[in-house]
Amino acid sequence: MTRAVASAALLLLPLLYVLHCSNNVDAAQGQTSQPNIVILLADDLGWSDVGWRNPFMPTPTLDKMAREGMILNQSYVQQTCSPSRAALMSGRYPHHLGLQYNTIRSGWNIHLADDQPILPEALKKLGYATHMVGKWHLGFCNWRYTPTYRGFQSFYGYYNAAEDYYTHIENNGYDFRDNDQVDKSAVGLYSTNLFNDRAIRIINDHNTSQPLFLYLAYQAVHGPLQAPQEYIDRHCKHIPDNNRKIKCGMIAALDESVKNVTHALKQRGLMDNTFILFSSDNGGPVHEYASNYPLRGSKITLWEGGTRAAAFAYAPSFLQKTNSSYEELIHITDWYPTLVEAAGGGSSVANIDGVSQWKNLLSGGPGPRQEFIYNMDEVRNDSAIRRGRYKLIQGYARNPNGWFVPPELEKALNETTVDIHGEKNSPPYSLYDLETDPEERHNIIDSHQTVFHNLKARLDSYRPSLVPTKHYDYIRASKPDNFNGNWSPGWC
């Protein structure tokens, strides 16, 4: 195909998309022409905690969807929970929000900025029914920072970072809501199952003449390590380590929920007009028995194991290249403009860092992103940038920063964990060629000085736009004792 023909074909994609949507209306009377959008966000799922990378992991549903859809091999997220969720919802880098330093902890008076619309508000304006199920973790000190005040028509889940999967207690306070109301009916029930049931109810009750946006942000597989015994017994007896066995059970429960939710979409006749994004919010935490092998590092680090997500897009009716892998760079900020364009809102959104990937996802062609910032943290004095094949890290390489082999793979691979935790004399800069060295084993800065200086200049060019880290305090007025034992808004 000549370049001219290829360019013409690319220009036809929006027309083909419109025609596809029109056909959907004919095929399913009463359905919207705009695609339904479902985000399935796993929490702390490692790079090799999925069956398509680790055959010992019981994820048959996710494996099938990944293989029938498009595996996103270079899909990047932030290194930890709140920054990733902030980037997903806002389309902005955390260092442009003041959220680059840490997660938002219970009782802290910080939140996602409300100075411009976030994804559910944008989609609601485009006519979508917007529903959120699961973990918010973007601040709740004031009601106006909670999901139903930020564009979601309904919310079922919890505000904080983590909690017991059954009691829903976090730091001596109960944290579970149905919209704005405390919901004690959840006590004793496993959160993955609760979120599964509510998502199915939303799908079954949905008016199909309106497009649906469902953001299902699972608690799974974040700690604490808790799984119904039936999942461990049925799927995970082959795992040699007891803690990893529980993690396996949590992953199996997550996979079964995805199976149930996608079945509900099919039963309602919605699947042919639905775009599904599955992703982890960050790399897996190795101290909680996740595995990012063979990538280096863990959640909270700027290594690939902390920032490259297990992810795929599933939309066989839209994607021209199914049963494929996508090797173009995608950053979590890109999903905001990508999904807005998918919804018919145009290809650009003002004042964000993300770029729409919609047309190249449809075609499987070259993507628009050439570089991104992993993070820029002036408190820890570390940052990182990727441009093309090269990655530059500035500052102390956060621990844990080794290569952690999951116990079920040690024998098969004849490899063991290499933990270099405690390396104090890391250089001020390190450079890696991720095309030839995705495991970040070889610092090539000495032999690639021109690349280093060019990347350093690019990294430094972002520093003037940094918003200082938000000052956080634990506010005593937030204590659950002041709200009948519940974590609740209303103290800032």
Side-chain angles (χ1 to χ4, degrees):
M1 182 183 293
T2 67
R3 180 172 296 180
V5 173
S7 299
L10 189 60
L11 290 171
L12 284 173
L13 279 173
L15 175 60
L16 294 173
Y17 167 59
V18 171
L19 292 172
H20 167 81
C21 292
S22 300
N23 290 337
N24 277 343
V25 174
D26 295 336
Q29 188 175 6
Q31 284 199 28
T32 173
S33 62
Q34 295 164 286
N36 304 300
I37 296 168
V38 177
I39 298 177
L40 303 173
L41 191 69
D43 197 341
D44 285 6
L45 186 72
W47 178 258
S48 57
D49 285 339
V50 290
W52 74 84
R53 294 203 177 94
N54 177 352
F56 293 96
M57 285 294 101
T59 56
T61 301
L62 294 173
D63 298 348
K64 186 173 187 292
M65 292 176 69
R67 290 179 177 131
E68 291 180 355
M70 180 180 283
I71 297 172
L72 307 174
N73 276 331
Q74 306 219 49
S75 179
Y76 285 86
V77 291
Q78 298 305 131
Q79 75 281 3
T80 192
C81 303
S82 297
S84 262
R85 292 158 202 274
L88 175 64
M89 289 290 105
S90 71
R92 292 190 275 178
Y93 289 131
H95 73 268
H96 287 157
L97 297 163
L99 294 175
Q100 60 268 34
Y101 175 67
N102 213 329
T103 61
I104 299 173
R105 299 185 182 180
S106 52
W108 283 10
N109 60 339
I110 57 177
H111 54 84
L112 174 61
D114 60 350
D115 58 335
Q116 62 188 60
I118 62 172
L119 179 59
E121 293 171 300
L123 292 177
K124 189 176 182 181
K125 189 174 180 180
L126 290 168
Y128 277 71
T130 56
H131 301 278
M132 180 180 174
V133 177
K135 171 178 169 175
W136 176 237
H137 202 195
L138 289 173
F140 65 94
C141 65
N142 190 296
W143 283 109
R144 71 176 185 264
Y145 307 136
T146 60
T148 54
Y149 292 77
R150 298 304 311 268
F152 287 107
Q153 292 168 243
S154 75
F155 170 65
Y156 182 77
Y158 62 106
Y159 293 142
N160 275 299
E163 60 184 19
D164 188 281
Y165 277 74
Y166 292 95
T167 67
H168 312 296
I169 298 291
E170 163 68 1
N171 282 346
N172 301 311
Y174 184 77
D175 186 8
F176 206 94
R177 299 266 168 171
D178 192 343
N179 292 317
D180 297 341
Q181 301 301 309
V182 174
D183 183 4
K184 289 295 180 72
S185 70
V187 174
L189 300 176
Y190 192 62
S191 71
T192 303
N193 296 337
L194 287 167
F195 299 151
N196 171 87
D197 293 348
R198 177 53 62 95
I200 290 172
R201 180 169 141 190
I202 288 168
I203 292 165
N204 288 339
D205 292 346
H206 177 63
N207 178 352
T208 59
S209 66
Q210 184 180 19
L212 170 67
F213 172 48
L214 173 59
Y215 174 39
L216 176 47
Y218 288 99
Q219 180 177 359
V221 292
H222 196 291
L225 291 175
Q226 293 175 296
Q229 191 63 41
E230 63 180 288
Y231 290 100
I232 299 172
D233 292 342
R234 196 188 321 157
H235 300 287
C236 304
K237 288 184 176 180
H238 60 287
I239 304 294
D241 179 90
N242 284 335
N243 287 312
R244 179 71 172 161
K245 192 172 293 192
I246 298 171
K247 177 70 79 173
C248 171
M250 298 166 77
I251 293 167
L254 169 68
D255 186 80
E256 184 174 283
S257 175
V258 173
K259 176 182 178 181
N260 295 336
V261 170
T262 53
H263 179 72
L265 288 168
K266 291 173 185 173
Q267 288 293 102
R268 286 298 318 276
L270 298 176
M271 184 61 88
D272 285 345
N273 192 36
T274 295
F275 180 88
I276 297 175
L277 166 66
F278 176 88
S279 178
S280 182
D281 65 335
N282 44 246
V286 297
H287 68 282
E288 290 182 352
Y289 302 91
S291 174
N292 305 304
Y293 188 82
L295 301 180
R296 183 177 186 176
S298 172
K299 173 185 177 178
I300 80 166
T301 76
L302 299 183
W303 302 113
E304 294 296 285
T307 56
R308 201 188 290 205
F312 63 79
Y314 180 82
S317 297
F318 293 100
L319 303 176
Q320 293 184 6
K321 292 184 178 179
T322 56
N323 302 285
S324 65
S325 294
Y326 189 67
E327 304 298 335
E328 300 295 304
L329 294 182
I330 296 181
H331 189 263
I332 192 167
T333 56
D334 296 340
W335 291 112
Y336 183 157
T338 297
L339 297 176
V340 166
E341 182 175 5
S347 60
S348 67
V349 179
N351 303 316
I352 66 170
D353 299 301
V355 293
S356 176
Q357 304 256 5
W358 182 241
K359 290 184 179 68
N360 49 287
L361 283 172
L362 290 181
S363 68
R369 182 172 284 285
Q370 301 301 315
E371 74 177 27
F372 65 88
I373 298 294
Y374 287 81
N375 198 37
M376 186 168 284
D377 183 347
E378 82 284 14
V379 177
R380 292 189 178 90
N381 190 29
D382 65 8
S383 58
I385 185 173
R386 178 168 178 183
R387 182 168 180 83
R389 64 195 290 172
Y390 294 106
K391 174 181 180 178
L392 180 69
I393 300 177
Q394 171 264 321
Y396 176 57
R398 297 186 207 172
N399 292 314
N401 64 8
W403 297 266
F404 299 86
V405 183
E408 69 273 11
L409 286 177
E410 286 184 351
K411 185 175 181 180
L413 297 174
N414 194 28
E415 290 195 42
T416 57
T417 289
V418 178
D419 186 357
I420 50 178
H421 187 100
E423 182 185 11
K424 297 298 183 184
N425 297 317
S426 57
Y429 289 93
S430 51
L431 178 68
Y432 300 93
D433 181 346
L434 295 181
E435 192 169 296
T436 61
D437 181 28
E439 300 171 21
E440 297 170 291
R441 293 179 183 267
H442 308 290
N443 181 1
I444 60 170
I445 194 165
D446 290 340
S447 60
H448 288 69
Q449 282 288 296
T450 300
V451 174
F452 160 60
H453 287 294
N454 288 340
L455 270 183
K456 182 179 180 298
R458 289 298 304 160
L459 184 61
D460 289 343
S461 73
Y462 285 87
R463 298 191 191 281
S465 66
L466 180 143
V467 174
T469 293
K470 289 186 176 183
H471 180 72
Y472 55 88
D473 283 312
Y474 177 78
I475 306 300
R476 291 185 180 276
S478 71
K479 292 179 67 173
D481 291 349
N482 297 323
F483 299 94
N484 298 315
N486 304 299
W487 287 107
S488 181
W491 41 273
C492 75

